[in-house]
Amino acid sequence: MYKVINPKTNPKIVPFAFTLLVYLVWLLGQGPQSAVANFVAQLSIAITMMFGSFVAGGTALGGGAVAFPVMTKLLGIEPATAKVFSLAIQSFGMTAASLTIIFCGIRYFKQVVLFALLGAIPGVIISLLFIAEHLPRLATKTVFSVFLLVFSFTLLRLHFTHKNFQEQPDLRSPYLITLVGFIGGLASGIVGSGADIMVFALLVLFYKKELKAATATSVIIMAATSIVGSWCNFVLLDGLTPQISAFLWAAVPVVVIGAPLGAFVCAKVKAGVLLSFLLSLIVLEVGFTSFELLNRPL
């Protein structure tokens, strides 16, 4: 007789079931032959998201931190297309990573997720519907990059003075989390990420929370924000073009494995290794933004 696996007694089956469901939809939605043909045709996108999804699941930076600069600078894809795609693909990868975090016992802060999403969800909706198209993306991204740079210097200072990650016993001023989540949601609608890194920064610098748990928390927040943002892009703004659809079909089977793997590795490595990886990504992100500024048309 076959043993029935009960998700309540074996919760690790949930992220596995989600990945299996995604693969079934991927094959049946296109047909096996078309699915493989599109994957081969968009192999550069799949390879990009192999790394982007690992970053999305394992750090406080969304997969767009890798996907957007590679797509726009190396693959010659329009920035508007890259932004919509980056937010959409995070909906799959970071959801898979979030299920891994929640059901595989990886520590995160449930209360922070709740309070942050109370701000991030309306923030990303307002941003996409009323703000994003009126603001120059590069100017906004430059401000965000400056924030990341200052944040990285602060992390380094805390790390080398050995004053970091001494947790406060409770979460003071929970409405501050909601406010920061709202600002992060606004940023996410403009540049494709923001809610994750801003809440992460608040947890680490203000609340003195442990690095790995703060990272896991930020992944869950960005997953939900990406889902809502993508719904706005596709349903309310009619932003699902044939090109974006082809990119998504090629990248989805990669990210539902890469992002959970990133979350698992993040939970296992030492905090110093995670810090070094995060700082390296911030340097790359700031570098790409600087390159954009130097090469913008006059």
Side-chain angles (χ1 to χ4, degrees):
M1 294 182 65
Y2 294 100
K3 183 178 179 181
V4 177
I5 299 177
N6 187 346
K8 292 183 179 180
T9 58
N10 190 3
K12 293 182 181 180
I13 194 64
V14 174
F16 174 78
F18 175 78
T19 301
L20 180 61
L21 177 63
V22 169
Y23 268 85
L24 286 174
V25 172
W26 179 70
L27 285 172
L28 298 178
Q30 305 171 88
Q33 187 173 358
S34 296
V36 173
N38 182 68
F39 184 85
V40 173
Q42 307 295 342
L43 187 60
S44 58
I45 297 295
I47 293 174
T48 298
M49 291 316 304
M50 185 185 303
F51 297 100
S53 61
F54 185 87
V55 169
T59 74
L61 291 176
V66 172
F68 189 89
V70 171
M71 291 175 72
T72 54
K73 296 305 176 188
L74 299 183
L75 302 181
I77 296 169
E78 286 294 322
T81 297
K83 189 194 79 168
V84 173
F85 166 76
S86 297
L87 199 61
I89 199 62
Q90 287 175 175
S91 303
F92 292 93
M94 298 185 87
T95 295
S98 297
L99 292 175
T100 301
I101 291 166
I102 294 169
F103 290 100
C104 293
I106 297 175
R107 184 175 177 237
Y108 71 100
F109 304 114
K110 296 180 182 180
Q111 187 180 13
V112 174
V113 172
L114 174 62
F115 279 108
L117 289 180
L118 288 175
I121 288 177
V124 73
I125 293 173
I126 292 171
S127 179
L128 287 170
L129 295 182
F130 305 110
I131 299 176
E133 63 177 318
H134 301 296
L135 290 180
R137 191 203 61 82
L138 183 55
T140 308
K141 197 168 187 292
T142 301
V143 174
F144 187 63
S145 294
V146 171
F147 162 76
L148 289 180
L149 197 59
V150 173
F151 172 59
S152 65
F153 284 130
T154 306
L155 270 183
L156 281 172
R157 179 178 175 275
L158 289 172
H159 179 70
F160 286 111
T161 55
H162 305 288
K163 294 179 181 179
N164 54 328
F165 316 138
Q166 302 298 316
E167 294 200 21
Q168 299 295 335
D170 56 11
L171 291 172
R172 309 179 310 279
S173 307
Y175 298 111
L176 178 61
I177 301 175
T178 301
L179 175 61
V180 171
F182 178 76
I183 297 172
L186 294 176
S188 298
I190 298 168
V191 299
S193 63
D196 45 0
I197 190 66
M198 289 188 178
V199 174
F200 175 82
L202 180 70
L203 287 174
V204 173
L205 301 181
F206 183 73
Y207 289 112
K208 309 299 182 184
K209 294 297 182 181
E210 189 265 330
L211 189 68
K212 292 192 285 186
T215 298
T217 304
S218 73
V219 169
I220 298 174
I221 292 168
M222 197 62 222
T225 305
S226 297
I227 291 172
V228 174
S230 296
W231 176 80
C232 284
N233 277 328
F234 296 157
V235 177
L236 301 181
L237 299 175
D238 195 25
L240 183 59
T241 65
Q243 184 182 32
I244 293 175
S245 180
F247 290 166
L248 288 173
W249 280 118
V252 160
V254 174
V255 301
V256 294
I257 294 177
L261 180 61
F264 180 79
V265 171
C266 165
K268 297 298 181 181
V269 300
K270 294 181 179 179
V273 175
L274 180 61
L275 177 63
S276 298
F277 187 46
L278 177 62
L279 292 175
S280 299
L281 291 172
I282 290 174
V283 169
L284 286 175
E285 202 279 340
V286 173
F288 274 114
T289 301
S290 301
F291 181 82
E292 285 186 86
L293 282 171
L294 292 174
N295 290 273
R296 73 186 190 281
L298 298 175

